[in-house]
Amino acid sequence: MELFNVSPFAAKHLVTNDGHGRETLLVVVKATYDLAAKTELVSKQSEIVVADEYHGEPGFSSIKLTGDLSLYKPKADVIVSGCAYPRQPGDRSVDAMLRMAGIEKRLRVFGDRVWKKSPFGYRPSDPLPFEKMPIVYERCFGGSDESVVALPQFCAHNPIGCGYAGQRSSLQFDDLPVPNVVSPNDSLQAPTADGETTCFAAIAPHWLPRSAFAGTYDEAWQKHVMPLLPKDFDPQYYQAAPQDQLLPDYIVGGEAVCIENMTASHRLEFEVPRQRPLVSVNLGDEVLELAANCDTLHVDCEQKQLTLVWRARVDVHERLRELFWICIEDCEAAYVEA
């Protein structure tokens, strides 16, 4: 089986199990664009990411780049990474905003704060001025609380954040960090177990809500199903974006994107390119054109780069000897007036 990639995009293929015991050919195509150069393709395309890459130690830090080899995403992920930039020198907070195809999401970003004890409990100190602030889960609400040895607790939506206090907590919060990134609707005036975790970045697979879609791995699964996926596995597990950054359909090109206060110029606007790959395979006596769905959009605001990922697959169970070649070509999607 040969891969002929005559497109300008990065591409990778593999034969994998579909989770139900059938061999499946997966083809992943990835395009990287320079947003500082009128959304042109960069000269050196980003490689396919085999597995999630983290900012630090996996399990103790947030995802930097999501793996590209998920078998199937039922919806499109929209992920934004970068920093918040204040509007004026000396500002102590700013709202960062993402708008795209029905998504309108705003985060409130503060300069560094710490908890201070008052007659009414712990309260946040005044925020410090900042030049830019990373929007990462480490600076969002979350964390863990092991102050009660018999009842260690953690925030299931973000165990690496800050501001979390478990039930009957005896943690001393004096001078511990207050989350920099919060929802405009959640003022977070005290350490709590009920804060809202909000971010633009990818969610780790073992955090909620993704982990809730993983299915049941009990004794019955071990005995009768393993190594296949459990019957209650939901492919939404593969969606890495926050739930309010999922599109109901795949990306087709032409969508307008606006991001505010995550660059020094404060506004980043562009239209998703209409380029797309054509993926065809020679399987037996047939040449099949596979549906390649664009299910991942990632904007790196610091690098001013856009990456798009398309995914195509076909059942090749017991037909591997008939799979001769894969071809990837470049195409610009046709534009049809509404």
Side-chain angles (χ1 to χ4, degrees), residues 110-278:
F110 290 94
D112 287 337
R113 302 177 291 172
V114 295
W115 296 110
K116 291 295 185 182
K117 201 162 190 178
S118 76
F120 306 100
Y122 289 105
R123 292 291 183 266
S125 65
D126 291 334
L128 297 176
F130 64 98
E131 295 182 0
K132 67 177 184 177
M133 182 63 64
I135 299 180
V136 291
Y137 283 98
E138 287 85 343
R139 294 180 177 271
C140 299
F141 174 80
S144 61
D145 186 343
E146 300 181 18
S147 61
V148 180
V149 177
L151 189 65
Q153 293 180 277
F154 65 94
C155 175
H157 287 84
N158 178 19
I160 62 169
C162 52
Y164 176 84
Q167 296 178 0
R168 300 192 298 276
S169 176
S170 60
L171 273 179
Q172 299 300 309
F173 281 91
D174 269 318
D175 295 326
L176 291 183
V178 177
N180 299 95
V181 183
V182 300
S183 166
N185 301 319
D186 183 6
S187 58
L188 197 66
Q189 290 301 301
T192 178
D194 301 320
E196 179 183 353
T197 300
T198 185
C199 195
F200 292 140
I203 298 169
H206 58 287
W207 300 358
L208 287 177
R210 288 185 67 182
S211 60
F213 299 115
T216 304
Y217 299 83
D218 55 10
E219 185 177 344
W221 171 81
Q222 293 180 4
K223 187 175 181 179
H224 302 292
V225 182
M226 190 175 71
L228 304 180
L229 292 173
K231 292 182 180 180
D232 59 348
F233 176 86
D234 188 325
Q236 289 187 77
Y237 173 79
Y238 296 129
Q239 306 284 172
Q243 292 287 297
D244 53 4
Q245 291 171 220
L246 299 179
L247 298 178
D249 298 305
Y250 297 117
I251 297 160
V252 297
E255 295 90 348
V257 181
C258 178
I259 299 170
E260 291 184 359
N261 298 326
M262 290 189 66
T263 59
S265 60
H266 301 297
R267 183 182 286 263
L268 181 63
E269 290 184 286
F270 61 92
E271 187 176 278
V272 177
R274 299 182 187 278
Q275 269 182 303
R276 61 181 177 87
L278 289 177

